[in-house]
Amino acid sequence: MTIQWFPGHMRETKKWLLQSAAKADVIMEMLDARIPLASENPWMEKFCRHTRRVKILNKMDLADPRVTEQWLTFFEKQRNVRAIAIDATDRFRAAKALEYAIERVPHNRARKRKVMVAGIPNTGKSTLLNTLAGKKIAKTGNTPAITRHQQRTGLRNNIDMYDTPGILWPVIEPPQRAYALAVTGAISDTALDFQDIAWFAARLLLHRYPEQLRARYPFLDPLPGDEAGLLEQIGAARGCLKAKGQIDFHKAATVLIQDFRSGKIGRISVETPFDISDDEETKQ
Ligand SMILES: Nc1nc2c(ncn2[C@@H]2O[C@H](COP(=O)(O)OP(=O)(O)OP(=O)(O)O)[C@@H](O)[C@H]2O)c(=O)[nH]1
Ligand SMILES: [Mg+2]
């Protein structure tokens, strides 16, 4: 699926990372714990050719804890992959992630340790920097492409941390991956059909998290059988109406997506390691 959203600063950051990533001692690859595979930038392999890489599954507070455990086990079984789950707003967890990232980097007073934080937009890279610095150094926000330039900040213990703008890639395949990115807020809401994103969320919630849906929307009794029914009932209950009392599906979609992104529906994981084996089985 071609995404018509690859702003110039992403192109520049890609170029910068291709040239500069090798100078870092370690790259903290910021992923979204709800979509640890979909949020992996396919260019990361190239950026990290000569640099150690640690996967940070951030926003663990929004992800299904059982599924996050499954992901950590999945990554543990892979050779040369190191992964940790955190909530970047939590000082203790943020510090633990940094410690984990630099534990094998030689510490020598004469030389600063260089840590780069890179990944797709809206995964919490700048938040991690702010939490570690103990003050608001970088602008953050719950829309993608907040950071536009890389920024170096000196931290304690002779560490230089580089916050970088989140980058995507122009063709995101398969479409399921684009929707997984969009539903978590990594892609601009204007780059895809907004109602399609809500449809994707509705299907996931109906199949995997019906209890959370019931808890958030007690008026769903019984639970609707399909995506249209879910959006229709949310729209009716929340007053998302057009002239003549018709349901405004765009407004209903906004309610569902905002509730999902803010964690009001509960801790939801969009991808599980079992989805991969299911996909592979279907291909055979
Ligand atoms: N619930 C939760 N929210 C988080 C966490 N980390 C970051 N956020 C929120 O996620 C949003 C995005 O955070 P940023 O730090 O701006 O993300 P970024 O990766 O720097 O984004 P770009 O600069 O666009 O690449 C903000 O609203 C943060 O408050 C986390 O661990 N848990
Ligand atoms: Mg940022």
Side-chain angles (χ1 to χ4, degrees):
M1 182 182 276
T2 305
I3 303 290
Q4 302 297 335
W5 193 62
F6 188 59
H9 77 277
M10 292 195 186
R11 207 177 301 272
E12 280 162 30
T13 306
K14 179 189 178 193
K15 215 167 124 191
W16 185 82
L17 278 167
L18 283 171
Q19 288 165 357
S20 316
K23 295 178 198 150
D25 290 299
V26 61
I27 294 192
M28 296 177 87
E29 179 188 12
M30 262 341 230
L31 301 168
D32 187 314
R34 295 166 294 179
I35 48 166
L37 284 193
S39 59
E40 183 180 315
N41 189 312
W43 295 327
M44 197 56 72
E45 203 72 41
K46 260 193 189 161
F47 301 152
C48 300
R49 223 174 0 201
H50 305 294
T51 314
R52 255 168 47 78
R53 166 183 182 185
V54 174
K55 288 182 184 293
I56 312 290
L57 276 58
N58 190 37
K59 305 199 181 185
M60 67 180 288
D61 56 306
L62 296 178
D64 181 336
R66 196 178 40 91
V67 177
T68 301
E69 277 308 315
Q70 291 167 356
W71 277 116
L72 291 175
T73 308
F74 170 85
F75 288 126
E76 243 168 53
K77 286 186 189 152
Q78 295 187 352
R79 278 185 55 205
N80 298 329
V81 176
R82 307 194 68 235
I84 184 170
I86 67 161
D87 165 355
T89 65
D90 178 306
R91 267 176 33 203
F92 172 75
R93 290 194 188 272
K96 213 168 143 198
L98 179 61
E99 229 171 77
Y100 186 71
I102 60 167
E103 76 188 2
R104 293 190 199 160
V105 177
H107 189 189
N108 157 359
R109 278 204 194 153
R111 188 184 160 275
K112 292 216 173 200
R113 289 176 284 182
K114 290 193 179 68
V115 178
M116 260 176 215
V117 189
I120 63 161
N122 206 354
T123 46
K125 298 177 292 300
S126 304
T127 303
L128 177 67
L129 170 69
N130 289 343
T131 305
L132 289 169
K135 56 185 169 192
K136 193 168 163 81
I137 288 175
K139 193 172 157 195
T140 62
N142 203 7
T143 47
I146 294 281
T147 305
R148 296 293 174 129
H149 303 282
Q150 51 277 4
Q151 178 182 11
R152 173 167 61 93
T153 304
L155 300 178
R156 273 175 299 169
N157 297 330
N158 232 14
I159 292 169
D160 267 348
M161 180 168 260
Y162 293 76
D163 179 24
T164 64
I167 47 175
L168 290 165
W169 53 103
V171 181
I172 299 179
E173 296 288 4
Q176 287 290 99
R177 183 173 191 181
Y179 288 120
L181 287 165
V183 80
T184 55
I187 300 183
S188 160
D189 282 338
T190 54
L192 268 89
D193 184 305
F194 194 66
Q195 285 184 50
D196 286 351
I197 306 172
W199 207 267
F200 174 85
R203 188 174 319 141
L204 168 84
L205 293 164
L206 283 167
H207 285 139
R208 296 209 173 148
Y209 294 97
E211 290 313 317
Q212 277 93 328
L213 268 182
R214 275 199 196 93
R216 173 66 188 161
Y217 308 115
F219 51 82
L220 295 175
D221 188 21
L223 211 59
D226 61 19
E227 298 88 340
L230 177 62
L231 288 166
E232 195 171 347
Q233 288 201 33
I234 291 175
R238 293 292 166 87
C240 308
L241 301 174
K242 292 202 261 196
K244 295 187 190 156
Q246 281 175 327
I247 301 291
D248 184 333
F249 277 94
H250 189 85
K251 277 194 185 152
T254 308
V255 170
L256 184 70
I257 290 178
Q258 279 177 355
D259 282 357
F260 173 89
R261 287 182 184 162
S262 62
K264 284 187 182 144
I265 305 178
R267 298 177 68 173
I268 309 287
S269 290
V270 179
E271 287 179 323
T272 80
F274 301 107
D275 298 337
I276 314 170
S277 33
D278 288 353
D279 283 354
E280 270 156 19
E281 270 166 33
T282 351
K283 270 186 228 151
Q284 282 164 10

